[in-house]
Amino acid sequence: MMNRRNRRTRTRTATLAALAAMTVAAATLSAGTAVAAPLPVPQDINGDGYRDVVLPAPGASVKGRWAAGAIVVLYGSAKGVSAAKRAVITQDSPGVPGAAEGGDLFGASSAIADLDKDGYADVVVGSPYESVGTTKEAGSVVVLWGSRNGLVSGAALPTLVEKGGNAGRDVAAWSGPDGAQVLVVNNNNTTRLTGPFTRAGKPKSSYLHDETGWMRSASYGDLNGDKAADRVLVTGRMGGGSGGHVHVNSLMEVRPSDRRMTGGDGLTSAVGDVNGDGYGDVVVGDPDDPTAEGRYGHLGGAVHIWFGSANGVAYDKAPMTVHQDTAGVPGSGERYDEFGASVAVADLDRDGKAEIIVGAPGEAIGTKARAGTVVVVPGRATGALGAGSYTFSQDTAGVPGAVEAEDAFGATVSAGDLNRDGRPELVVGAAWENGQGGVWMLPGGASKPVYASSVSFGPGGLGLPGDSGLLLGGDFQS
């Protein structure tokens, strides 16, 4: 099953080994259990009209309890976000269900949506290694309710309790005209919770999706223009492929093969309108180097795109695939680049066709192995994607910091308009910057990010401990 990259520093290897030992989950962790999931798309948590950013720090210690975990909320404003307007939240914070315990990894996954329809976006947070009663590493998920004062109260969401289930290894949330939904990913299944949700966290109903095999990640989007939630479920790595299988709207009464996407595998996903036709498109990051027997993938990683329509996506049609050997895309596919380790979709140039933002945290820059980079692939109405693509890293003029080996810049990416000027900002995580992690905010410009106005955030400026393996900003789920 495994074809993993082992180019890690001794610090990172030791940190992950310690995490595995603390959680008594070495076998599961080595098989790809989430350490930190993708950054959620920013939304307005405190109702002031500006979108807010949620940053994971699942390796953070809390009062000496190592890797209890935390999240940081950076509140948007007319000037964007700053460390001065922030909240650091742990399970020891007032109103947060549970208690901070070593190895829980609170914040390993997060998602944002207005679950109770009160006009404030709520934050769903996973703690995949939390024990529930006597059940070890069952995992838990909570919702933190948005309000005028930010996140000050919360409730536990129902999860499937099973030993080593790691509920909350990923979460996804949706709020639309069809109501609110949450997807809770366990190791071997996904639970869909449908609203309305009570303030005690009780959903109207729940549905267990266990037909797709062992699970890794999930996302929501509208693929057919009906303004209702479509589910994208990605399994863990499967033999014979370069990643996991991708399912859309998989139902138990339908054979999984009927809803598995043809011609591409992957590990993480996002939904957005890449070709500007009004329908959401499924974008799947496939960062693994293919094995000799693998049918899909590309050396150095790839991204697969299935285009939506009035009938949704075509399950039997191969996707469009983009990689660093695609015409117009900077660089070249090299082993361990991890192109597609993170993906986001946003219309950065405001032409009605969304760009695909791709993290390649394993990309070497000069002699600096695994320094990491981000590639932006412009959307287009017709034809192959790739033309006009551009890349940036800590080696780009104006981007704070310096290129260092093992930073993993681009391990996570997200995008959203934080200052309400109509130009989406980019959020980039470098999970192993200085062994702790860091986050970059790149302001939106007329057609691409304004590098010279970029800012970065480290643990000290955000009020976090300086733990090795803090994973500030999240990590590619290796």
Side-chain angles (χ1 to χ4, degrees), residues 44 46 48-53 74-85 417-421 425:
D44 186 5
N46 60 357
D48 64 356
Y50 297 98
R51 296 188 181 194
D52 310 310
V53 178
L74 297 180
Y75 290 101
S77 70
K79 295 182 179 180
V81 295
S82 74
K85 193 176 181 183
D417 182 6
L418 306 178
N419 59 3
R420 216 164 57 185
D421 67 353
E425 278 67 48

Side-chain angles (χ1 to χ4, degrees), residues 4-382:
R4 301 289 64 82
R5 303 142 306 280
N6 292 315
R7 295 169 65 177
R8 305 288 192 265
T9 60
R10 291 183 180 178
T11 298
R12 183 178 192 196
T13 302
T15 299
L16 292 182
L19 278 172
M22 283 188 63
T23 57
V24 200
T28 304
L29 185 61
S30 65
T33 293
V35 173
L39 291 169
V41 176
Q43 294 193 44
D44 186 5
I45 294 169
N46 60 357
D48 64 356
Y50 297 98
R51 296 188 181 194
D52 310 310
V53 178
V54 173
L55 306 177
S61 60
V62 179
K63 298 178 182 177
R65 288 159 284 183
W66 192 62
I71 63 170
V72 180
V73 182
L74 297 180
Y75 290 101
S77 70
K79 295 182 179 180
V81 295
S82 74
K85 193 176 181 183
R86 72 178 189 273
V88 177
I89 298 171
T90 73
Q91 285 186 287
D92 276 357
S93 298
V96 178
E101 300 168 312
D104 282 353
L105 272 69
F106 175 81
S109 63
S110 57
I112 311 175
D114 184 2
L115 299 188
D116 58 357
K117 295 293 186 178
D118 65 352
Y120 299 96
D122 310 306
V123 180
V124 180
V125 184
S127 304
Y129 286 102
E130 182 159 24
S131 294
V132 178
T134 60
T135 306
K136 301 294 186 182
E137 300 148 17
S140 70
V141 176
V142 302
V143 55
L144 305 178
W145 301 113
S147 72
R148 184 177 62 180
N149 297 317
L151 303 175
V152 295
S153 65
L157 292 177
T159 59
L160 182 65
V161 178
E162 53 184 357
K163 184 179 179 180
N166 299 140
R169 66 179 299 179
D170 194 18
V171 293
W174 166 273
S175 182
D178 60 329
Q181 297 186 28
V182 172
L183 290 172
V184 176
V185 176
N186 284 53
N187 279 336
N188 297 304
N189 51 65
T190 299
T191 302
R192 175 162 49 108
L193 308 175
T194 59
F197 290 80
T198 70
R199 295 289 285 194
K202 184 179 180 180
K204 178 181 179 181
S205 63
S206 64
Y207 189 94
L208 180 65
H209 295 273
D210 62 357
E211 75 281 9
T212 54
W214 78 289
M215 289 301 302
R216 184 180 189 278
S217 64
S219 60
Y220 276 118
D222 177 9
L223 305 178
N224 61 3
D226 65 355
K227 302 187 186 305
D230 293 303
R231 303 175 305 280
V232 181
L233 305 179
V234 184
T235 73
R237 295 176 173 95
M238 295 287 190
S242 57
H245 296 172
V246 183
H247 299 259
V248 173
N249 291 335
S250 181
L251 300 174
M252 289 190 69
E253 58 266 24
V254 179
R255 289 177 300 157
S257 59
D258 291 338
R259 287 294 184 263
R260 179 188 167 189
M261 306 301 292
T262 296
D265 290 336
L267 294 175
T268 190
S269 64
V271 176
D273 187 3
V274 176
N275 60 1
D277 64 355
Y279 303 106
D281 308 311
V282 177
V283 177
V284 172
D286 187 6
D288 283 3
D289 297 319
T291 59
E293 72 273 14
R295 295 168 291 169
Y296 312 128
H298 184 81
L299 181 67
V303 170
H304 307 296
I305 305 100
W306 288 269
F307 293 98
S309 70
N311 297 315
V313 294
Y315 299 102
D316 58 350
K317 186 177 180 180
M320 181 179 293
T321 296
V322 177
H323 43 69
Q324 286 186 290
D325 291 316
T326 298
V329 178
S332 59
E334 300 167 312
R335 190 169 296 277
Y336 309 123
D337 281 349
E338 297 171 352
F339 180 89
S342 58
V343 291
V345 184
D347 187 4
L348 302 181
D349 59 8
R350 298 174 297 163
D351 67 350
K353 299 176 287 295
E355 277 63 55
I356 302 173
I357 302 117
V358 185
E363 178 84 15
I365 299 178
T367 61
K368 308 296 186 181
R370 199 170 157 74
T373 190
V374 173
V375 177
V376 178
V377 180
R380 60 181 300 168
T382 59

